[in-house]
Amino acid sequence: MPFKYTPAAKGKEVKPPQIPSPGNNSFLGDIFTSEAPSDKQISCGFYKQEAGKPLEYYYDYDEMKIILEVEGEYTIADETGNKVSVAPGDVFYFPKGTTITFQTTGYGYAFFCGLRPNGTA
């Protein structure tokens, strides 16, 4: 079976589609989804959070993110009080059932991989 490929010009360098958020400043787009039964599919792509209102997101699936770019102050917090000032290269694991708040004064850009079907952000 051949591998799949998406060049940066169609992946990292393209702003992901907007997702519903309080300030309309959150963006996420799937690049690939595994070919498996829907309850076992993994999807990956890019996430961007821009300055403005924070995004509070409930994860009903497991997800991991690696931070690629940060401009300004970018924080990620959970419902237990854990809060991190994010930098490029930081890696996060958000277990199913976690509520995460993303907030930035500039922008944060990340690559993600989640245990979910395509387009179910």
Side-chain angles (χ1 to χ4, degrees):
M1 178 180 299
F3 65 83
K4 294 182 179 182
Y5 165 75
T6 295
K10 293 184 179 180
K12 182 180 180 290
E13 296 173 12
V14 175
K15 188 173 188 177
Q18 189 173 41
I19 60 172
S21 63
N24 296 318
N25 57 334
S26 303
F27 306 85
L28 184 138
D30 293 341
I31 301 295
F32 292 122
T33 298
S34 63
E35 296 174 11
S38 63
D39 64 331
K40 297 195 181 348
Q41 289 179 340
I42 56 172
S43 295
C44 69
F46 295 96
Y47 168 73
K48 185 171 188 179
Q49 179 71 28
E50 294 182 343
K53 294 185 180 183
L55 171 66
E56 186 175 286
Y57 187 80
Y58 175 77
Y59 282 89
D60 61 359
Y61 56 91
D62 289 333
E63 183 178 277
M64 297 176 191
K65 276 186 173 44
I66 182 168
I67 307 302
L68 303 174
E69 298 175 10
V70 173
E71 180 182 284
E73 178 69 17
Y74 184 30
T75 59
I76 295 178
D78 67 21
E79 70 273 11
T80 70
N82 290 329
K83 186 174 184 177
V84 175
S85 183
V86 178
D90 290 351
V91 180
F92 291 86
Y93 167 49
F94 306 126
K96 181 179 181 176
T98 304
T99 298
I100 301 295
T101 301
F102 301 89
Q103 186 168 14
T104 182
T105 61
Y107 76 89
Y109 200 64
F111 176 81
F112 72 87
C113 186
L115 184 61
R116 62 167 180 73
N118 182 286
T120 56

